[in-house]
Amino acid sequence: MLDLQTLSGLLRYQSTQLGSFQTVELIETFVNYQESIKRCICIICDPQRSSGGGLAIKAIKLKDSFITAYKGDGQLTTEKVKAGSITWKEIFEEIPVHLQNSALAAAMLAEIEPATVIKQIDVDKLNLSVLPTLERNLEFVTDCLDDAVMEQQKVSYYHRNVARQQQQQAQWLQKRRQENAQRRANGEEALPEEDLQQFKPIPEPNQLDNFLITNQINTYCEQLSSYSMQSLQKLQLMEALQQSHL
């Protein structure tokens, strides 16, 4: 359980829109904080979701296994992913948050609370339409899927370049061996068959972007499921009310 009062010096706050917080900038900020603060936690607040009547807030931190793999060069290569058995789910760890007012604060709120009246936010909770929110989430999912396709194209392009380079290396090595065979026949010294300057290693795409996009898609899908479930529950409630008045 997270105690905001005792951990106030270890917290970082970030506002988000419909759960869009999985970014490279957040990862780098976490890693920089980890150098001096071992228990760094980020509080994510979603004002748009909170406007519907509920407090959309969560606390997250980076998992130790991910920090170990990411620290150093800031690259998440396939080798590191395999060595650490890291998946897209192994980046963030959500921590339960419990918010509680003190007894004096609760007493003061009860004292200054106005007479009970129906507010607009109470009326909005009965609104059966969640179409704008669903549309926005679907737009975000579509954007993330486009980004995922681009990341996949980067990986495919990398593997094509590696295969092309390997083919060039094989051709160059075959030619060098033929040349060395001729030089030995002529009594000359053979040339080295490993030229480090001839073929430079091709940099591998960073897997972090792909992991973050997958994480973000999962967040949007969970929100879509939650909104759809709430809408169905409201529809079932209204159907029951209508049948009770028949």
Side-chain angles (χ1 to χ4, degrees):
M1 191 68 67
L2 179 61
D3 188 347
L4 298 183
Q5 293 181 349
T6 58
L7 298 178
S8 59
L10 310 179
L11 298 179
R12 179 181 185 273
Y13 299 90
Q14 178 167 326
S15 177
T16 183
Q17 182 181 16
L18 295 179
S20 304
F21 62 88
Q22 288 99 335
T23 62
V24 177
E25 289 76 14
L26 179 60
I27 298 292
E28 293 177 348
T29 302
F30 260 120
V31 173
N32 292 334
Y33 272 71
Q34 281 292 130
E35 298 296 333
S36 56
I37 304 176
K38 299 301 181 182
R39 299 173 59 193
C40 179
I41 297 171
C42 182
I43 302 296
I44 306 293
C45 182
D46 194 331
Q48 185 170 351
R49 293 185 61 191
S50 299
S51 63
L55 182 60
I57 187 173
K58 65 169 59 176
I60 62 172
K61 70 173 186 177
L62 292 182
K63 290 192 173 182
D64 295 335
S65 58
F66 174 79
I67 295 177
T68 302
Y70 184 78
K71 286 176 64 177
D73 57 0
Q75 295 290 320
L76 197 63
T77 61
T78 304
E79 182 179 353
K80 291 182 179 180
V81 170
K82 291 181 179 180
S85 300
I86 301 174
T87 65
W88 61 270
K89 296 181 180 180
E90 303 296 326
I91 299 180
F92 297 105
E93 179 181 351
E94 186 171 351
I95 303 173
V97 179
H98 179 66
L99 302 178
Q100 182 178 359
N101 291 324
S102 64
L104 291 177
M108 183 189 69
L109 292 174
E111 182 70 23
I112 65 176
E113 184 179 5
T116 303
V117 294
I118 298 178
K119 301 178 182 179
Q120 183 62 39
I121 191 173
D122 298 323
V123 177
D124 292 338
K125 291 181 181 179
L126 301 176
N127 188 2
L128 300 180
S129 175
V130 291
L131 185 59
T133 306
L134 289 177
E135 286 182 347
R136 197 64 183 274
N137 268 275
L138 288 174
E139 290 176 359
F140 287 158
V141 170
T142 302
D143 293 338
C144 284
L145 290 176
D146 291 339
D147 294 338
V149 171
M150 293 180 61
E151 290 299 320
Q152 184 62 39
Q153 291 175 350
K154 291 180 181 178
V155 175
S156 299
Y157 182 72
Y158 163 75
H159 286 294
R160 287 197 301 267
N161 286 339
V162 170
R164 186 182 299 112
Q165 187 183 72
Q166 291 176 348
Q167 183 180 7
Q168 293 173 352
Q169 287 176 337
Q171 294 174 352
W172 179 87
L173 182 59
Q174 182 181 5
K175 182 179 179 181
R176 176 55 62 89
R177 287 175 177 175
Q178 292 175 354
E179 184 179 356
N180 283 337
Q182 184 65 35
R183 292 175 66 90
R184 291 190 187 97
N186 297 334
E188 299 175 355
E189 184 179 357
L191 298 174
E193 295 184 356
E194 293 183 2
D195 191 350
L196 300 178
Q197 300 297 327
Q198 185 72 18
F199 299 98
K200 296 182 179 180
I202 300 176
E204 180 182 352
N206 195 347
Q207 296 295 321
L208 178 60
D209 293 333
N210 190 18
F211 280 12
L212 290 177
I213 292 172
T214 306
N215 245 311
Q216 195 65 69
I217 293 176
N218 180 68
T219 299
Y220 292 143
C221 290
E222 289 179 349
Q223 291 178 169
L224 285 170
S225 177
S226 176
Y227 293 141
S228 301
M229 182 63 67
Q230 293 176 9
S231 180
L232 288 174
Q233 290 174 349
K234 290 179 182 179
L235 290 174
Q236 292 173 355
L237 176 61
M238 294 304 298
E239 182 181 3
L241 290 175
Q242 290 177 355
Q243 290 179 354
S244 65
H245 288 288
L246 293 180

